[in-house]
Amino acid sequence: MYRFLMSRQWVILTLIALLLIPTMIRLGIWQMHRYEERTARNQLVSDALAADPVPVEKLTGPGHTVTSAERYRTVTAKGHFDTEDEVVVRRRTNSDDEVGYHILTPFVLDDGKVLLVNRGWIPSDGPSQTAFPKVPVPPAGEVTVTGRLMPDETTAASGIKNLEGLPDRQIMLINSEQEARRLDVRVLGGYIAQTAPEPKGDTPELLGNPGKEDAALNYAYAYQWWLFAAAVPVGWVVLARREARDRAQAAAEDTDATEAEPAAV
């Protein structure tokens, strides 16, 4: 009854099924790893945002690399803004996906070291892409700023190319080592995304809280792949039994037709 399983068509179908099962299982395992990674990152973000603010120099210093555990930690710093050496970061978007600039202002601490402060987003509505945009002025004199600590941006991590030959006072990446060379001062590793004091008026637009990754979606995908893997052998058996039934029915009909023919004279 099942000799048809040795036919070329069914051998190919069986090999495809045998290949699909482990592939789908592996895809499910990969999605589960992604779920665990995203869950861990979400927990790091939640822990960082919930932690009490600390002075920035407790977490970073010149040449320091901000770790994943330090990222998004709320820090404070006391000093004054240096608008003379302020730059803007090109091709940045706001919460509405509008393209503009981030304002990066050196913040001189009381001990003379510099903290890079991302003061927020402004639109690119200037006369040209080469002209320095109109930038809102930060508070004058000595102030205390609060922000989320962020690691230096790199091309490898962000995918943003660090282009050469940009217009004056415009950059592509926020990188403390790069800014230390430009300013010729001691710059703390990383930078902060300012959260306080809030700007007067509507600009610059402060950066929003980091969003959580959708880990639950990867969890659902993992079980979806495993269900597909379980469905393959079930589908194979259903198809084989249907083929066997159809062949048996066809053979029975041929037999009945032969028996119904009149005997030869």
Side-chain angles (χ1 to χ4, degrees):
M1 183 182 298
Y2 288 96
R3 289 180 181 176
F4 64 88
L5 294 177
M6 300 305 295
S7 67
R8 183 173 181 272
Q9 176 185 354
W10 272 92
V11 168
I12 292 174
L13 183 63
T14 302
L15 290 175
I16 292 174
L18 292 175
L19 180 63
L20 284 175
I21 293 171
T23 300
M24 291 177 176
I25 291 173
R26 289 289 299 173
L27 286 170
I29 293 172
W30 177 74
Q31 288 288 354
M32 189 58 71
H33 286 328
R34 290 283 293 162
Y35 163 75
E36 293 169 353
E37 290 170 359
R38 286 185 166 185
T39 299
R41 283 198 293 266
N42 287 342
Q43 189 61 51
L44 282 174
V45 172
S46 297
D47 293 343
L49 294 178
D52 294 331
V54 298
V56 66
E57 290 190 87
K58 282 194 173 183
L59 294 180
T60 185
H64 176 74
T65 299
V66 176
T67 66
S68 58
E70 296 164 343
R71 185 178 187 180
Y72 301 125
R73 284 290 303 274
T74 301
V75 295
T76 60
K78 188 177 180 181
H80 66 274
F81 284 105
D82 173 19
T83 55
E84 291 295 323
D85 291 312
E86 191 170 58
V87 295
V88 292
V89 192
R90 293 167 59 94
R91 299 178 186 173
R92 298 303 168 107
T93 57
N94 66 355
S95 57
D96 296 322
D97 287 331
E98 298 172 318
V99 179
Y101 302 96
H102 282 176
I103 306 171
L104 187 68
T105 309
F107 188 79
V108 184
L109 306 178
D110 291 341
D111 60 6
K113 291 192 284 290
V114 167
L115 168 68
L116 301 176
V117 178
N118 185 338
R119 296 200 290 119
W121 180 89
I122 58 172
S124 56
D125 53 4
S128 70
Q129 292 294 315
T130 59
F132 191 76
K134 184 178 180 181
V135 176
V137 179
E142 188 170 80
V143 295
T144 298
V145 296
T146 303
R148 296 186 298 274
L149 185 61
M150 302 294 292
D152 287 329
E153 295 179 344
T154 64
T155 298
S158 67
I160 301 172
K161 293 182 179 180
N162 197 15
L163 302 176
E164 301 289 341
L166 294 175
D168 188 40
R169 299 176 66 189
Q170 296 190 27
I171 61 176
M172 296 298 299
L173 296 168
I174 304 177
N175 187 282
S176 61
E177 292 183 3
Q178 178 179 300
E179 291 303 296
R181 290 192 296 269
R182 181 179 70 88
L183 299 170
D184 194 24
V185 294
R186 301 179 69 199
V187 177
L188 274 60
Y191 67 97
I192 68 167
Q194 183 178 334
T195 57
E198 294 187 4
K200 294 180 180 180
D202 297 330
T203 58
E205 180 183 318
L206 296 182
L207 306 185
N209 286 330
K212 289 190 174 183
E213 298 184 43
D214 193 355
L217 193 60
N218 294 103
Y219 190 85
Y221 284 157
Y223 278 93
Q224 186 179 58
W225 281 117
W226 291 336
L227 286 173
F228 287 160
V232 169
V234 173
W236 186 93
V237 170
V238 170
L239 288 175
R241 293 186 65 179
R242 181 181 298 171
E243 179 80 7
R245 184 177 64 250
D246 291 345
R247 287 173 177 266
Q249 184 176 351
E253 290 175 355
D254 289 344
T255 300
D256 292 342
T258 301
E259 291 177 351
E261 291 180 0
V265 180

